[in-house]
Amino acid sequence: MFSKILIANRGEIACRVIKTARRLGIKTVAVYSDADAEARHVAMADEAIHIGPSPARESYLVADKIVDAAKRTGAEAIHPGYGFLSENAGFAEACAKAGIVFIGPPTAAIRAMGSKSEAKKIMEKAGVPLVPGYHGDDQSPELLAKEAKRIGFPVLIKASAGGGGKGMRVVEGAAKFADALAGAKREAKASFADDHVLIEKYLTRPRHIEIQVFADTHGNCLYLFERDCSIQRRHQKVIEEAPAPDMDPARRKAMGDAAVAAAKAIGYVGAGTVEFIADQDGTFYFMEMNTRLQVEHPVTEAITGQDLVEWQLVVAAGRKMPRSQDQLAIDGHAVEVRLYAEDPARNFLPSTGTLVHLRLPEEGPNIRVDTGVREGDTVTPFYDPMIAKVIVHDRDRTSAMRRMAVLMGETEVVGVTTNAGLLKALCAHPAFVGGEVDTGFIERHHDQLFAKPAPASDRTIAIATLARLVEWHDAAPSSPGDPYSPWGAQNGFRLLGEGHDEVRWKDGEREVTVQAYHRRDGSIGLTLPGGTLEARVRHADDGRLAVLLAGETFTAAAVPRAANDGGVDYTVFADGNQRRLRLVDPLDVTQYEAVGASEGSMRSPLPGKIIDLRVKVGDTVSKGQALLVLEAMKMEHTLTAPADGKVKAVRYGIGEQVAEGAELVEFDDTES
Ligand code: ADP
Ligand code: ADP
Ligand code: MG
């Protein structure tokens, strides 16, 4: 076995690999970019080497710098994680040349599966079923359009070099084909420096079912059952589970055998995943093979009781796999959710910022949390916006989903927008829990999953108000560390006994004014929309608030944070829900102006580049109309008009780089 390895990755996967290495007594070397100097994976590793500026193409994607770091530190092997250089045959070759073991498959196997088009040709020969489509070399737009017509709409255009759902476009009819092709090629070029595409028949209501395969250098090749990854957004996985719901043993074996045949056809070694797309009737077709460890491998680890990173290390060290096919069995059910810094309500636009408050589920025997961040860390626009993966293992699927829904309700993140609410809604959705699983689920149930929240409850407003009062109290000159403060004694909120404060909130369009009457006994009477409630509050141990409200005791968090427009928002976490309230400061008139001004303009939600502009000065636009396309985090994001209006100014042109928060389009004030 190795005595020291280097991990050529960052974030949760780097941390996860370090964990297993440490357990096996293997020293670890981390690499990091400027943006990651303080990152969790750097802190966890035994050594860390700086490899360059923040953009991945100048650091994590530079093979030479990484091989160099391994040589300098005496690492005998390199684990590439997923993404970055993990499926880069040139990198695997560079490792070999330097006498360093690449913890992954042989170069030829990476090459064979690197292009989805080439992979399909190989699978066709091996007799593995394929989705009807075109995966030829001729890339002329005319021929591709003709092929699309032959296959029959709807079709799916895919980047041959694709991954992570990038460079993909569904096309409903011939009229939209040329535009979609151009878009897919643009995105493919930006992400993979290769704009070769293939076309497939677009299946409606399919399931994504994939098989985890493993092979060693002693001729053994086996499968560790399946994962269902059908719950997706933008063709990227959001929830993954193992085993797949309703999988019968015969079909499991047929798919496992097909996956093993695929692996054997290319002389595979190490961990790999063969992805299939399945019809509702169970017919399955080969989609692609990922020649690396997959993001969602923990669900397989949970149901098999194996550590796949340990398997990778064992196999890379030239030993036999720890188990044979007949020694593997499925135990219970596991589900994983990907907690992303993104805004589901804005078409899953990535969200960046500092994690000023972070409370992830606590790990336990059946709860696993894989994360690369801590409170205070920043989600930057440079890398994938995943905050954590949460995995629950339980007796059966229903129990696992129920527990996951609870965990997502208890997850607290302030500083970036997350998909926690959507994950909770999904895991609690009766249809999903009942086994309705396909890649169109989120879209089909959109209205329920994205239901507009009801007005904030009195309880939520009370918690925010109490947090505000505590803040005032803490800031008062007499209170910090004051041994005579009545705060600690809990028998008087104010030195002067009775008094009265007023706190005003904006809850969406509604404005709520709360009067807080401080009683002599330390309790507070709050006048809320539904009536007066009696409350008590004090600091709890973990930075939260211990609240007594209307006779009930609980802990809650209400975290203030300055918003982009200068106002202050309080995020309230209570009862498994979160809610944002805007503090209305009566002394600060600029706040009202700022809010009004932001309605008259559209700002950039992310740093990025303008790649398409669809309006000019003088245009009349209606709410929701596409105004421009921003390329950020290697994806295209269409920005739409926030309201009806007339365009007064367009601040940037195509090709220009814009900062987060930059004013892009200004509108005339239509009301006046
Ligand atoms: P696929 O969708 O192809 O099955 P996964 O769902 O396993 O693959 O996601 C892996 C892909 O997601 C990578 O190929 C990469 O593009 C992207 N990705 C996700 N997280 C990260 C990360 N932390 N670092 C780099 N790439 C990442
Ligand atoms: P990536 O490399 O980005 O993971 P895949 O080829 O694995 O690309 O496809 C990603 C997702 O897109 C699949 O999981 C599935 O939801 C959807 N998809 C792919 N091919 C088809 C198809 N032919 N019909 C319908 N959906 C598809
Ligand atoms: Mg895939």
Side-chain angles (χ1 to χ4, degrees):
M1 185 45 81
F2 311 110
S3 56
K4 190 193 263 189
I5 62 168
L6 180 143
I7 296 110
N9 215 301
R10 62 177 304 283
E12 65 87 15
I13 192 61
C15 298
R16 187 260 167 275
V17 173
I18 292 171
K19 218 164 157 185
T20 290
R22 171 150 309 147
R23 185 170 60 73
L24 300 177
I26 300 169
K27 294 265 181 239
T28 54
V29 182
V31 291
Y32 65 96
S33 67
D34 287 348
D36 281 340
E38 307 286 326
R40 182 165 184 260
H41 76 278
V42 174
M44 274 179 74
D46 296 304
E47 286 171 76
I49 303 286
H50 177 247
I51 49 164
S54 305
R57 94 188 84 79
E58 296 169 50
S59 49
Y60 297 106
L61 288 172
V62 185
D64 290 350
K65 288 188 184 178
I66 290 168
V67 171
D68 223 50
K71 282 202 271 194
R72 258 167 62 201
T73 53
E76 304 141 50
I78 295 182
H79 194 301
Y82 54 73
F84 295 140
L85 295 169
S86 62
E87 295 178 280
N88 185 309
F91 177 62
E93 247 157 28
C95 290
K97 226 180 192 167
I100 296 163
V101 175
F102 173 76
I103 303 173
T107 317
I110 301 177
R111 286 232 159 82
M113 292 296 169
S115 151
K116 289 192 209 290
S117 304
E118 294 310 308
K120 288 181 90 168
K121 287 176 196 162
I122 296 170
M123 289 305 122
E124 209 165 19
K125 273 199 205 117
V128 180
L130 303 182
V131 192
Y134 171 79
H135 47 263
D137 294 329
D138 190 337
Q139 292 283 299
S140 73
E142 299 75 31
L143 178 97
L144 293 173
K146 217 161 88 196
E147 285 295 327
K149 209 177 277 171
R150 176 187 62 81
I151 295 161
F153 291 98
V155 298
L156 181 63
I157 306 174
K158 279 187 192 177
S160 297
K166 295 190 181 101
M168 242 188 239
R169 291 287 188 284
V170 181
V171 195
E172 302 293 342
K176 292 190 173 152
F177 187 81
D179 267 2
L181 180 64
K185 280 190 174 276
R186 227 176 12 240
E187 212 167 275
K189 188 110 203 156
S191 296
F192 316 109
D194 176 354
D195 67 358
H196 195 283
V197 298
L198 61 93
I199 305 174
E200 281 177 8
K201 172 89 196 148
Y202 186 64
L203 305 182
T204 48
R205 292 192 77 153
R207 283 171 67 177
H208 173 120
I209 300 177
E210 59 185 35
I211 304 287
Q212 175 72 56
V213 293
F214 235 104
D216 62 23
T217 49
H218 302 268
N220 303 302
C221 185
L222 52 74
Y223 62 94
L224 292 102
F225 315 112
E226 78 282 0
R227 295 183 284 258
D228 190 310
C229 315
S230 300
I231 304 299
Q232 304 183 344
R233 56 110 179 90
R234 288 185 146 169
H235 304 300
Q236 215 199 353
K237 301 154 187 167
V238 176
I239 299 184
E240 301 107 340
E241 54 183 307
D246 303 324
M247 176 67 92
D248 67 79
R251 190 150 60 96
R252 172 172 294 133
K253 184 165 185 319
M255 292 182 82
D257 289 345
V260 167
K264 283 185 171 162
I266 55 165
Y268 205 77
V269 176
T273 297
V274 181
E275 296 190 333
F276 295 100
I277 191 146
D279 257 338
Q280 289 294 317
D281 67 5
T283 318
F284 59 89
Y285 310 94
F286 171 83
M287 202 158 44
E288 65 161 342
M289 179 168 184
N290 291 323
T291 54
R292 55 170 161 85
L293 190 69
Q294 205 97 333
V295 175
E296 57 275 17
H297 73 278
V299 291
T300 299
E301 297 187 321
I303 62 156
T304 59
Q306 305 299 311
D307 178 334
L308 296 188
V309 171
E310 179 177 353
W311 280 47
Q312 285 188 297
L313 293 168
V314 164
V315 166
R319 301 190 349 215
K320 280 188 183 164
M321 283 188 286
R323 292 276 192 283
S324 60
Q325 189 73 61
D326 53 11
Q327 289 173 326
L328 293 166
I330 296 176
D331 168 32
H333 198 93
V335 57
E336 169 183 289
V337 297
R338 300 190 190 186
L339 182 67
Y340 279 111
E342 67 181 17
D343 189 352
R346 294 167 75 192
N347 199 18
F348 304 98
L349 191 72
S351 171
T352 57
T354 299
L355 300 163
V356 295
H357 176 87
L358 178 68
R359 191 170 178 247
L360 296 172
E362 224 166 283
E363 289 205 294
N366 293 308
I367 297 174
R368 169 172 167 183
V369 179
D370 282 16
T371 183
V373 293
R374 302 146 299 191
E375 191 169 273
D377 287 352
T378 298
V379 178
T380 71
F382 299 110
Y383 318 112
D384 189 272
M386 191 159 71
I387 297 170
K389 304 186 306 205
V390 178
I391 303 100
V392 168
H393 185 206
D394 214 317
R395 195 173 303 121
D396 54 48
R397 185 170 187 268
T398 316
S399 318
M401 292 303 169
R402 185 169 28 82
R403 280 173 68 193
M404 185 62 89
V406 171
L407 293 181
M408 285 302 104
E410 292 170 357
T411 298
E412 299 177 1
V413 186
V414 180
V416 295
T417 306
T418 77
N419 63 344
L422 173 65
L423 295 172
K424 181 189 160 195
L426 280 164
C427 293
H429 196 290
F432 178 54
V433 175
E436 185 186 311
V437 181
D438 63 85
T439 62
F441 190 92
I442 292 182
E443 223 164 286
R444 192 164 58 251
H445 296 283
H446 188 277
D447 292 352
Q448 272 168 298
L449 294 169
F450 295 75
K452 226 182 148 185
S457 65
D458 279 11
R459 192 172 155 102
T460 296
I461 297 167
I463 293 164
T465 305
L466 292 170
R468 180 66 180 149
L469 295 175
V470 166
E471 213 183 296
W472 269 335
H473 179 273
D474 289 352
S478 68
S479 71
D482 179 357
Y484 302 106
S485 166
W487 186 258
Q490 292 175 47
N491 59 357
F493 188 80
R494 301 202 142 187
L495 286 168
L496 294 177
E498 296 192 354
H500 150 243
D501 284 312
E502 184 180 286
V503 183
R504 284 160 71 190
W505 301 105
K506 229 178 149 199
D507 170 34
E509 296 300 299
R510 174 174 75 142
E511 197 170 308
V512 179
T513 302
V514 184
Q515 312 289 346
Y517 294 94
H518 302 281
R519 318 266 193 234
R520 208 172 282 282
D521 68 351
S523 68
I524 307 165
L526 300 172
T527 64
L528 298 156
T532 301
L533 290 182
E534 292 299 319
R536 278 176 189 274
V537 62
R538 62 181 172 82
H539 288 291
D541 296 336
D542 55 354
R544 303 165 70 73
L545 298 174
V547 176
L548 173 68
L549 186 70
E552 199 192 325
T553 312
F554 55 90
T555 67
V559 186
R561 179 184 174 241
N564 274 343
D565 59 14
V568 176
D569 290 325
Y570 276 63
T571 309
V572 179
F573 299 98
D575 312 323
N577 287 304
Q578 66 162 292
R579 191 62 196 231
R580 201 144 60 190
L581 296 174
R582 164 61 59 99
L583 180 69
V584 180
D585 184 345
L587 298 179
D588 184 3
V589 283
T590 60
Q591 221 182 74
Y592 289 104
E593 283 166 15
V595 174
S598 76
E599 279 165 6
S601 68
M602 184 175 74
R603 291 175 185 280
S604 179
L606 285 173
K609 193 167 100 182
I610 309 243
I611 58 166
D612 195 9
L613 201 54
R614 303 198 183 148
V615 283
K616 54 183 187 319
V617 175
D619 283 359
T620 309
V621 298
S622 45
K623 185 176 174 173
Q625 182 182 333
L627 302 186
L628 57 84
V629 181
L630 185 75
E631 184 193 277
M633 301 175 102
K634 293 188 178 160
M635 300 267 295
E636 294 186 1
H637 307 282
T638 303
L639 303 187
T640 57
D644 293 351
K646 198 169 161 199
V647 177
K648 187 168 153 193
V650 179
R651 301 272 180 231
Y652 296 89
I654 292 184
E656 281 192 88
Q657 204 71 36
V658 298
E660 181 179 343
E663 188 179 67
L664 303 175
V665 179
E666 202 188 325
F667 304 102
D668 267 329
D669 201 352
T670 42
E671 258 111 333
S672 55

